């Protein structure tokens, strides 16, 4: 059986955080209603997130794509806010061929802001504790959403061999995109909130742990995985880690992330 490749990832930060080329459309400025508008993030598929004012609200704008379905994120956000800090929905819609989602702000800064990236010895353990808190506090028994291997294979047209190789399951509610930028760090140095929850659902905890570990190298440099796992409170599981990394990269290959990523 051959599964998709495992590599170190596709995502340095330059094209995602160097945003001088972005000009907010007139309708985005109008939605801000006089508040300052600043682009703060460009994702791998070209979606832009804008901050309004001092961060009281955020607007995500993206053309339709398999990796972000606003209709899937809306019910997940509405459900998750009862358990962990997450954005509250303010409004959503479509404009000029793009979907948009307006949410409330959460206190804290992105875990990949410069102030966090220059202190990986503090940020990385905080991320491990933050993901563990998410897995512990969000109740899998009552979660109405799933993020199974079978669903991912079907949705993205992946190699069916994944279905024959699924390791024994340790089910939790997974974030669904547990890469570092989707965690906020508060003034106390701990995770203060979770964003980009459109894939949230019940799955094996390593479905989150694998991309979380993979993204450490993109954002903080090599060899931080042990610190993350120690803070999370789990021993490495090479078999599960390899399986869910392959699955993550297989989805990424299907979406052709590199085609959208521009190193500016």
């Amino acid at each position: 059986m051959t599964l998709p490749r495992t590599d170190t990832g596709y995502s340095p930060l330059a094209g995602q955080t160097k945003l001088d080329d972005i000009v907010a459309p007139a309708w985005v400025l109008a939605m801000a209603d006089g508040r300052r508008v600043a682009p703060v993030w460009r994702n791998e598929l070209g979606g832009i997130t804008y901050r309004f004012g001092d961060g009281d609200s955020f607007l995500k704008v993206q053309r339709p794509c398999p990796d972000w379905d606003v209709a899937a994120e809306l019910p997940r956000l509405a459900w998750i806010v009862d358990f962990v800090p997450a954005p509250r929905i303010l409004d959503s819609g479509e404009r000029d061929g793009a979907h948009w989602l307006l949410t409330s702000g959460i206190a804290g800064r992105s875990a990949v802001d410069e102030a966090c990236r220059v202190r990986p010895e503090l940020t990385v353990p905080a991320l491990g504790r933050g993901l563990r808190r998410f897995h512990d506090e969000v109740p899998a028994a009552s979660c109405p959403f799933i993020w199974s291997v079978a669903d991912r294979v079907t949705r993205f047209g992946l190699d069916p061999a994944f279905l024959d190789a699924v390791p024994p399951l340790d089910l939790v509610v997974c974030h669904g995109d547990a890469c570092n930028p989707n965690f906020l760090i508060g003034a106390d140095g701990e995770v203060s909130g979770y964003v980009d929850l459109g894939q949230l659902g019940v799955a094996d905890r390593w479905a989150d742990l694998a991309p979380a570990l993979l993204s450490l190298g993109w954002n903080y440099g090599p060899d931080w995985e042990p610190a993350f796992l120690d803070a999370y409170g789990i021993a490495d599981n090479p078999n599960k880690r390899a399986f869910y990394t392959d699955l993550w990269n297989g989805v990424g290959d299907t979406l052709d992330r590199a085609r959208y990523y521009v190193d500016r």
Side-chain angles (χ1 to χ4, degrees):
M1 178 186 67
T2 301
L3 295 179
R5 62 177 171 80
T6 301
D7 59 25
T8 57
Y10 58 87
S11 181
L13 288 174
Q16 295 167 299
T17 57
K18 293 184 178 179
L19 308 174
D20 294 343
D21 60 306
I22 295 174
V23 177
W27 68 268
V28 170
L29 299 177
M31 187 176 291
D33 194 25
R35 291 171 292 174
R36 183 165 53 91
V37 176
V40 293
W41 186 253
R42 176 184 4 233
N43 69 23
E44 306 90 355
L45 300 178
I48 306 298
T49 299
Y50 299 92
R51 180 180 61 229
F52 288 175
D54 293 326
D56 53 289
S57 57
F58 288 81
L59 177 71
K60 181 176 180 178
V61 181
Q62 183 165 313
R63 294 189 179 279
C65 69
D67 208 30
W68 186 59
D69 179 0
V70 69
E73 186 155 6
L74 288 172
R76 285 165 169 79
L77 286 179
W79 182 79
I80 195 68
V81 294
D82 288 337
F83 308 107
V84 294
R88 293 186 177 274
I89 302 163
L90 300 178
D91 203 353
S92 66
E94 297 182 37
R95 179 68 183 257
D96 298 338
H99 295 297
W100 58 266
L101 176 62
L102 182 67
T103 60
S104 63
I106 302 174
R109 65 176 73 216
S110 168
V112 298
D113 277 4
E114 182 68 16
C116 296
R117 287 192 291 122
V118 299
R119 300 296 300 276
E121 72 279 5
L122 300 180
T123 302
V124 170
L127 289 169
R129 291 189 293 270
L131 183 58
R132 183 56 183 257
R133 187 162 61 250
F134 189 96
H135 288 167
D136 285 350
E137 294 185 4
V138 184
S142 60
C143 180
F145 313 105
I146 60 172
W147 192 44
S148 70
V149 175
D151 283 352
R152 296 168 75 180
V153 166
T154 300
R155 179 180 177 189
F156 295 106
L158 301 181
D159 188 341
F162 276 115
L163 299 176
D164 298 326
V166 179
L169 296 176
D170 176 13
L171 295 177
V172 297
V173 176
C174 282
H175 178 288
D177 188 0
C179 296
N180 313 141
N182 293 331
F183 293 74
L184 304 180
I185 303 295
D188 62 355
E190 296 298 318
V191 169
S192 60
Y194 308 86
V195 300
D196 279 357
L197 292 153
Q199 305 291 335
L200 176 148
V202 175
D204 188 277
R205 70 178 69 239
W206 278 92
D208 266 352
L209 282 165
L213 293 168
L214 189 63
S215 65
L216 295 176
W218 304 336
N219 299 319
Y220 308 108
D223 303 325
W224 287 105
E225 294 89 346
F228 185 100
L229 291 172
D230 184 63
Y232 182 94
I234 196 171
D236 196 2
N237 185 321
N239 290 335
K240 282 194 172 186
R241 182 174 174 180
F243 175 85
Y244 285 104
T245 299
D246 281 346
L247 182 62
W248 181 265
N249 284 333
V251 171
D253 288 346
T254 300
L255 293 173
D256 193 7
R257 296 173 188 270
R259 180 164 62 89
Y260 294 88
Y261 175 73
V262 179
D263 189 1
R264 292 183 171 87

